[in-house]
Amino acid sequence: RHIAHVDFRYEDRRLIIFTDGRQFHANSNETIRRDHDQRNRLMREGWRLLEFIYHDVIERPEHVLHLLRVALDLEPLTLTVSVAPSATPLPAEVQALAEQLSADPTQRNCRVELSNGFSAHAIVCDPGQRRATIWVDAARWIGDESAWMSDIEVCNYLQLLGWRVERVATGE
């Protein structure tokens, strides 16, 4: 059964690697949503995902290699994760989704922060289960390359730390 085209797959490690170029993966709301839907399905089927962007592969190959070594259990990753309520309110459509995903209001609208300074806005977060649904503002990704890069990087780190991270894209 075909869910998505992947760039690299380590079957024995249940690891999939995507190498994404901005031109094809952050150019429209539809593309961003399709990518997230496919990747969320892969994670639900037990795959761990890593995503690298063109900039990472060309400008930071040592960083890419480090994360690959971590994923293959060849190097440690020494980061910590903290979760706190977000000071930024969710838009109405995202708040409605959060309420569908979790009956517990304390798990909604959180900031997931890594000890290296990266963070993400979670619609729903359950630190005890190491699960988060990250909100992606598609319009922000399209208009701000650094937002796209940062969101991908934080998801990579969280997954390497054992979190199950799904993403939901909204925005026009």
Side-chain angles (χ1 to χ4, degrees), residues 6-7 19 36 40-41 43 58 68 79 89 95-96 105 114 116 119-121 129 135 139 146 158 171:
V6 303
D7 297 303
T19 52
H36 288 142
N40 290 343
R41 284 181 59 201
M43 281 189 285
I58 298 302
L68 290 173
L79 294 175
Q95 180 63 36
L114 298 167
N116 64 358
S119 65
H121 197 161
Q129 296 292 315
W135 171 40
S146 65
L158 286 170

Side-chain angles (χ1 to χ4, degrees), residues 22-84:
R22 188 166 169 74
Q23 179 180 1
F24 298 106
H25 294 279
N27 62 352
S28 73
N29 294 340
E30 180 182 317
T31 301
I32 292 167
R33 286 184 180 121
R34 183 196 67 229
D35 281 354
H36 288 142
D37 289 346
Q38 290 172 342
R39 293 165 193 205
N40 290 343
R41 284 181 59 201
L42 288 166
M43 281 189 285
R44 285 183 212 122
E45 292 194 5
W47 290 93
R48 290 184 306 150
L49 306 180
L50 287 178
E51 298 168 277
F52 298 105
I53 61 172
Y54 178 82
H55 177 272
D56 292 333
V57 174
I58 298 302
E59 301 294 328
R60 303 184 330 154
E62 69 291 336
H63 174 71
V64 172
L65 288 173
H66 169 66
L67 293 185
L68 290 173
R69 286 184 188 116
V70 170
L72 298 172
D73 299 321
L74 301 173
E75 288 183 16
L77 184 62
T78 56
L79 294 175
T80 58
V81 179
S82 62
V83 176

